[in-house]
Amino acid sequence: MRSLALVLLLLGVGVAQKPQVVVGTGGVGGVYFYYGTALAEILSKSGVAQAQAIQSGGSIENLLLLRDRTDPNRNLYYCGTVLPDAALMAFLGEERFQGKPSPVRILFTMYPNYFHVVATEDSGIRVLQDLKGKRVSTEVPGGIIEYEARILMSAAVPGFDPRTYFSKWERVRVAESAQMLSEGTLDAFFWSGGLPTGSLLELSGSLARKGKRLSLVPLPPQSTPVQVLMRRFPGVVDTGVIPRAIYNTRFDTPTVTFWNVFVCPASLPDDLAYAMVKAIFENLPTLHAAVAPARDTTLENAVRSRAGRVPYHEGAVRYFREKGVWR
């Protein structure tokens, strides 16, 4: 039988190739990178697919890859870790997806992201308006974090333009932003990630060794910037608190939160979607051990985005129905 299979393989017939799944993540230092890498390892080890994780610019890039690189004829599917507001924009064909929506489907809801405006206590930055004349990074160009940052800043500062409002406008990944702030070449940066984010833990430690302290700009629920962001993405944005113990800040910090989702294309076969979700949720201890925010990835939380406008994949729904959490 092995000889026959080898002959058929050499002839290019009779042997089905395993699906290839590429998991778009984010930059090194952010939770997406480690979470997505863990997902790919689970999928590969379970034998469900040939899966690999790739570093990317985050949500928007992952959704563009899903739309433009998926090729069912080659059994190739791009999936990714994304923020729900980015998934909604892609599904509706807005902003970067204008005129060409992304055929995105949710496999499961992952964990909540917390929006961070990171500075140091001695910077004098207490509110968003204090960023005037400061050296600030808004994350990668064209990414969803930069988009969210612009909405918040525009609501706080009428006529906001980062090119003139900041003394220096950087657009770099979280790991680089954290290093620059530690070295004193950056005053503040915007970030959205799970708790804790590794780069910020390292930053808090490096600042403490220099006698300094990390601080986070509060975004109170009733403030105008938060209300504007919530109106822009109804049903997607929530509010929460970053406890002071997470990064050794002096106070708990109110902020906005988003429940991240793991998405794949609508063209992903139902049986494959089912098998992928099954493999992941049968290996939750492995995922939880790999990255701290994954503790919120549970069967109950997996379906919490079902009331949103971005649909779940039918293969995933079948699994969740079997488990009794999709009612």
Side-chain angles (χ1 to χ4, degrees):
M1 290 296 291
R2 283 185 182 175
S3 299
L4 177 59
L6 179 58
V7 170
L8 290 173
L9 181 62
L10 292 173
L11 292 174
V13 296
V15 178
Q17 181 189 13
K18 266 189 186 177
Q20 299 175 72
V21 174
V22 180
V23 179
T25 62
V28 174
V31 178
Y32 275 7
F33 178 79
Y34 304 106
Y35 190 104
T37 298
L39 289 183
E41 289 177 355
I42 289 171
L43 293 174
S44 289
K45 288 180 179 178
S46 68
V48 168
Q50 293 178 349
Q52 70 173 102
I54 58 169
Q55 182 179 333
S56 76
S59 299
I60 298 294
E61 185 177 341
N62 293 342
L63 288 158
L64 290 169
L65 289 169
L66 183 154
R67 184 191 69 184
D68 300 334
R69 297 283 186 86
T70 291
D71 186 353
N73 293 326
R74 294 171 52 207
N75 219 4
L76 173 63
Y77 304 94
Y78 276 77
C79 300
T81 52
V82 306
L83 279 159
D85 45 351
L88 182 60
M89 283 196 303
F91 180 71
L92 297 176
E94 297 175 346
E95 301 296 332
R96 293 278 299 277
F97 303 89
Q98 189 73 42
K100 193 179 178 183
S102 182
V104 56
R105 296 292 185 271
I106 297 172
L107 282 194
F108 61 91
T109 303
M110 303 190 301
Y111 62 88
N113 254 25
Y114 291 74
F115 201 87
H116 301 60
V117 186
V118 185
T120 59
E121 278 199 344
D122 60 2
S123 67
I125 300 169
R126 303 289 182 265
V127 295
L128 293 176
Q129 292 88 341
D130 291 337
L131 294 172
K132 183 177 177 63
K134 301 295 186 180
R135 301 163 297 176
V136 181
S137 173
T138 55
E139 251 283 326
V140 295
I144 189 63
I145 296 175
E146 181 176 89
Y147 185 78
E148 293 160 354
R150 281 175 171 268
I151 291 176
L152 291 167
M153 288 301 302
S154 295
V157 181
F160 168 74
D161 184 341
R163 294 168 296 184
T164 56
Y165 198 77
F166 304 144
S167 64
K168 187 177 183 182
W169 180 27
E170 297 283 0
R171 304 166 89 185
V172 297
R173 298 180 189 275
V174 61
E176 187 174 350
S177 291
Q179 182 177 350
M180 292 172 67
L181 194 145
S182 177
E183 294 172 349
T185 58
L186 194 70
D187 298 308
F189 63 90
F190 290 85
W191 169 245
S192 180
L195 298 182
T197 293
S199 290
L200 299 194
L201 282 178
E202 293 175 12
L203 172 61
S204 177
S206 70
L207 289 174
R209 289 189 290 274
K210 298 173 183 178
K212 298 185 176 184
R213 194 171 202 159
L214 184 146
S215 69
L216 299 171
V217 175
L219 299 172
Q222 297 306 316
S223 65
T224 298
V226 170
Q227 290 298 307
V228 168
L229 189 65
M230 293 181 80
R231 286 196 295 271
R232 172 66 182 88
F233 297 108
V236 170
V237 184
D238 205 346
T239 58
V241 172
I242 302 175
R244 59 185 180 180
I246 298 292
Y247 303 116
N248 192 33
T249 53
R250 195 171 298 277
F251 309 103
D252 294 343
T253 307
T255 190
V256 292
T257 65
F258 313 77
W259 275 85
N260 298 284
V261 287
F262 184 65
V263 299
C264 287
S267 59
L268 188 76
D270 286 1
D271 287 346
L272 178 55
Y274 174 91
M276 289 171 62
V277 174
K278 185 174 188 290
I280 290 164
F281 282 87
E282 287 184 350
N283 288 278
L284 281 183
T286 300
L287 181 60
H288 292 170
V291 55
R295 64 185 177 272
D296 288 315
T297 302
T298 65
L299 271 172
E300 291 71 24
N301 284 336
V303 299
R304 67 182 298 136
S305 303
R306 61 180 299 189
R309 298 178 68 181
V310 180
Y312 274 70
H313 196 290
E314 280 303 314
V317 172
R318 174 155 60 97
Y319 178 79
F320 294 132
R321 279 203 176 105
E322 287 181 3
K323 290 298 179 181
V325 294
W326 189 282
R327 305 179 186 90

